[in-house]
Amino acid sequence: MGKKPIVAGNWKMNKHPEEGSSFVDEMQDLLLDIKHVSVIFAPPFTGLFEMNVDPPFYVAAQNCHWENSGAFTGEISVSMIKDCGAKYVIIGHSERRHIFQESDDWINKKLRSVQSSGLSPIFCVGETIEQRESEQTDKVLRSQLEKGLSGINSIEDCVIAYEPVWAIGTGLTANNKQIELAHQTIRDILSSNYKDVEDIHILYGGSVNSSNAEDLIQVTGVDGFLIGGASLDLKSFSSIARTVEMVQEKKI
Ligand code: PGA
């Protein structure tokens, strides 16, 4: 049987609210019959409130602040995100880590805040090309997971996304063996601190598109995708969700 796979679209700084909400409406119409996949849309903050979804469709924020309220100009708290009807928050995306210098300590605070509000984090980890080439991948994954999850007792509600930095937005995907090994490494690291790690979703992200989705979803340990570029296009995103649905249906 296995878990219900997740297909999540991270729109980054794209799509104005009306554009986003009509995209979501059309996508739900196109995929009215899907049963075996959960689909998540992550619009910019301005679009969060406009998304009108019903399960198996959900909304995610792309970031949050860890405090509930206060003098934090430009920030949005998890309770504000929750008010908009979102169920997930992406934490530690590589663009947050690298462009905005987000530290593991901040990521940890954000993860705790998301958890304590009852929302689910989509916690991103992944190595740079230099780290992969110098055989640091396992070490980097361990460090990001252990620091990010420090003091967190349960990860039942956590989704992990393995996103090699060099595969994000580059058109390069990690090969099947690299993905399988990284997902296994993540599961092994988590298993030393947590129970029932088999039940956790580990998504792959990095240049997933409608042509490679069928192959990638069948890699051992891949429980779905976190998709950037291809999630902006209705045809590509719906076709990826459909492909994952079809592969999952065959398994059942
Ligand atoms: P991409 O982005 O699909 O455009 O490579 C993935 C991501 O940033 O999550």
Side-chain angles (χ1 to χ4, degrees), residues 10 12 93 95 163 167-170 205-208 226-230:
N10 173 11
K12 308 189 180 181
H93 187 275
E95 285 146 24
E163 299 205 300
I168 297 178
T170 57
S207 299
V208 175
L226 181 56
I227 305 163

Side-chain angles (χ1 to χ4, degrees), residues 16-244:
H16 288 250
E18 292 114 79
E19 207 185 332
S21 71
S22 55
F23 183 101
V24 164
D25 292 347
E26 285 176 65
M27 181 93 173
Q28 290 182 107
D29 283 347
L30 281 173
L31 299 172
L32 263 183
D33 55 323
I34 64 160
K35 292 193 277 292
H36 307 297
V37 186
S38 303
V39 177
I40 303 175
F41 305 95
F45 283 141
T46 53
L48 276 180
F49 207 73
E50 300 293 330
M51 304 287 125
N52 212 339
V53 291
D54 287 308
F57 298 90
Y58 303 92
V59 172
Q62 299 173 16
N63 183 27
C64 66
H65 193 270
W66 58 85
E67 294 290 348
N68 202 37
S69 61
F72 301 100
T73 302
E75 295 292 325
I76 310 265
S77 74
V78 180
S79 65
M80 292 167 182
I81 291 169
K82 200 172 171 179
D83 269 359
C84 296
K87 185 172 183 305
Y88 295 90
V89 186
I90 299 173
I91 301 291
H93 187 275
S94 88
E95 285 146 24
R96 301 287 331 157
R97 290 179 190 265
H98 296 108
I99 305 175
F100 302 102
Q101 317 295 327
E102 238 174 61
S103 64
D104 289 306
D105 177 47
W106 279 24
I107 289 168
N108 178 247
K109 288 184 169 137
K110 291 180 180 201
L111 282 171
R112 287 166 183 248
S113 166
V114 172
Q115 270 204 322
S116 63
S117 72
L119 298 189
S120 298
I122 301 176
F123 172 29
C124 305
V125 294
E127 79 289 355
T128 62
I129 193 65
E130 294 77 21
Q131 290 164 334
R132 174 158 287 274
E133 284 172 351
S134 57
E135 295 178 5
Q136 304 280 301
T137 301
D138 291 7
K139 194 173 143 205
V140 170
L141 294 177
R142 175 176 294 279
S143 160
Q144 290 176 342
L145 287 166
E146 289 184 348
K147 289 180 181 158
L149 294 170
S150 167
I152 290 178
N153 296 325
S154 159
I155 54 165
E156 239 171 78
D157 57 348
C158 237
V159 174
I160 308 286
Y162 168 60
E163 299 205 300
V165 179
W166 47 276
I168 297 178
T170 57
L172 297 170
T173 50
N175 67 41
N176 293 1
K177 200 72 214 162
Q178 289 170 324
I179 298 174
E180 183 178 341
L181 284 174
H183 281 230
Q184 190 54 54
T185 301
I186 292 170
R187 243 178 253 286
D188 291 345
I189 295 166
L190 294 175
S191 296
S192 52
N193 291 320
Y194 300 99
K195 287 189 300 207
D196 301 327
V197 169
E198 272 316 305
D199 299 338
I200 304 282
H201 284 83
I202 305 183
L203 313 183
Y204 168 74
S207 299
V208 175
N209 59 43
S210 49
S211 313
N212 59 25
E214 184 171 354
D215 186 35
L216 293 171
I217 196 62
Q218 297 184 72
V219 174
T220 305
V222 171
D223 304 312
F225 300 129
L226 181 56
I227 305 163
S231 76
L232 295 171
D233 179 72
L234 195 63
K235 229 168 124 193
S236 312
F237 197 37
S238 58
S239 140
I240 297 170
R242 218 1 105 222
T243 300
V244 175

